[in-house]
Amino acid sequence: MEKSKSTSSSDVRKKWDKHKKVRVITIAALALIVVLVVVPIVTYYNIESHSTQAISNSDNNVVNNTILAPVDPLPFVLISKVGRVERVGSSFFKRESGIPAMLKKDDPKNPPQSTQTVLVERLSGTQMSKPFTVDKGYHYAKIWVQNKGKQRIAVSISKDSPTGALVTERVVTIAGGTNWSIYTTKPWESATYYVNFVSNGSPIKGVAVARVGARLAELNS
C-alpha cells in the first residue's frame, strides 16, 4: 500500500515536472514570437505612421505656415546620362555636365539684349521657391539646376505663385550630384514664374539659374 502511494506521488511529480517544462517551453516560444514577429510589426507601423504624417504635411503644402511648392504624388524621376534629353509633357529636361560658367545676373542698367539672365540663386533649406520674370520681348526661358547634395530633390516650375499651374506639367526629381537644364519649345507668356524645390528632409544644396531670350536657339548657344 505504501509502495502504491509512493508510486502515485512519483507519477504526480513527474506529470507536474512535465507540465512545468511544457509551460516553460510555451512561454519561451511566445517570447520568441513576440521578438521576431510582433516587435518588427509594431516598429514598421510606427515608421509608416511617421512617414505618412510627413507626406500628409507635404500634401497640405504647409509647414509652419509656409506655402510649399506643388506636390506630385508620383513625381517623374529623371535618370538620363549626360547629354541626353528627357521629355515630360511639353517640357524638356537635359542632363548637363555642369552649369554654364557664363551665366550671371545681368546689370539692369545695361540696354536690353536678346538674352538675359534673370535669376541666379544658391539653394538652401528643405524647400524653397524663387521667382523670375518673363517680360515682353522675351518669349522663351531656360532654367539650369545644379544639385550639389547627395539626395534627390523635387523640382517644378509654376506660374504666378509657388503653387500655381505647373509649366513643367509634372514635378520631377533629380539625383544628387547632377545638373539639368529645363525648357519648353513653346513660347512663355509674359508673367512671373517660380522655380520650386523640395527635399525629403535634408538641406538642399546647389544653384538655380534662369535665363530668358527672344528665341530658344539663343538660349541653347
Side-chain angles (χ1 to χ4, degrees):
M1 188 70 176
E2 290 295 327
K3 185 177 181 180
S4 176
K5 286 183 178 180
S6 176
T7 301
S8 177
S9 176
S10 176
D11 290 341
V12 170
R13 188 178 299 106
K14 287 180 180 179
K15 289 181 180 180
W16 171 259
D17 291 341
K18 184 178 180 180
H19 289 311
K20 185 176 180 181
K21 289 180 180 179
V22 170
R23 285 196 298 272
V24 170
I25 292 172
T26 301
I27 292 171
L30 290 174
L32 185 61
I33 290 172
V34 169
V35 172
L36 295 179
V37 179
V38 177
V39 170
I41 290 175
V42 171
T43 303
Y44 170 80
Y45 277 105
N46 282 337
I47 293 173
E48 285 297 302
S49 175
H50 288 301
S51 299
T52 302
Q53 185 177 2
I55 293 172
S56 176
N57 285 340
S58 296
D59 286 341
N60 289 334
N61 288 346
V62 176
V63 173
N64 295 329
N65 296 321
T66 301
I67 298 177
L68 299 179
V71 172
D72 190 334
L74 292 173
F76 190 89
V77 180
L78 298 178
I79 57 174
S80 290
K81 295 181 179 180
V82 173
R84 296 291 183 87
V85 177
E86 293 188 53
R87 181 172 182 172
V88 183
S90 60
S91 299
F92 294 84
F93 300 83
K94 182 180 179 182
R95 174 82 177 269
E96 306 280 4
S97 59
I99 299 294
M102 83 288 274
L103 292 179
K104 61 180 181 178
K105 215 161 190 176
D106 296 319
D107 187 345
K109 296 179 181 179
N110 287 342
Q113 303 172 33
S114 60
T115 65
Q116 185 177 13
T117 300
V118 291
L119 173 69
V120 178
E121 193 70 38
R122 190 174 299 278
L123 307 180
S124 62
T126 56
Q127 60 88 21
M128 67 182 300
S129 296
K130 289 297 177 179
F132 65 93
T133 301
V134 177
D135 290 323
K136 292 180 180 179
Y138 295 110
H139 305 296
Y140 294 91
K142 193 169 185 179
I143 296 88
W144 285 263
V145 177
Q146 182 180 60
N147 182 3
K148 289 185 177 180
K150 295 182 178 180
Q151 67 166 5
R152 281 189 168 273
I153 59 174
V155 182
S156 63
I157 301 172
S158 56
K159 183 183 177 185
D160 297 328
S161 76
T163 55
L166 286 177
V167 175
T168 49
E169 297 181 28
R170 293 284 303 276
V171 175
V172 301
T173 67
I174 61 175
T178 63
N179 309 280
W180 295 83
S181 60
I182 307 168
Y183 60 94
T184 72
T185 55
K186 295 180 180 180
W188 294 47
E189 296 179 7
S190 297
T192 298
Y193 296 86
Y194 290 77
V195 56
N196 312 298
F197 304 92
V198 179
S199 75
N200 197 24
S202 299
I204 303 169
K205 297 178 181 179
V207 177
V209 176
R211 190 179 177 196
V212 295
R215 294 185 303 156
L216 180 60
E218 295 174 322
L219 297 177
N220 291 335
S221 60

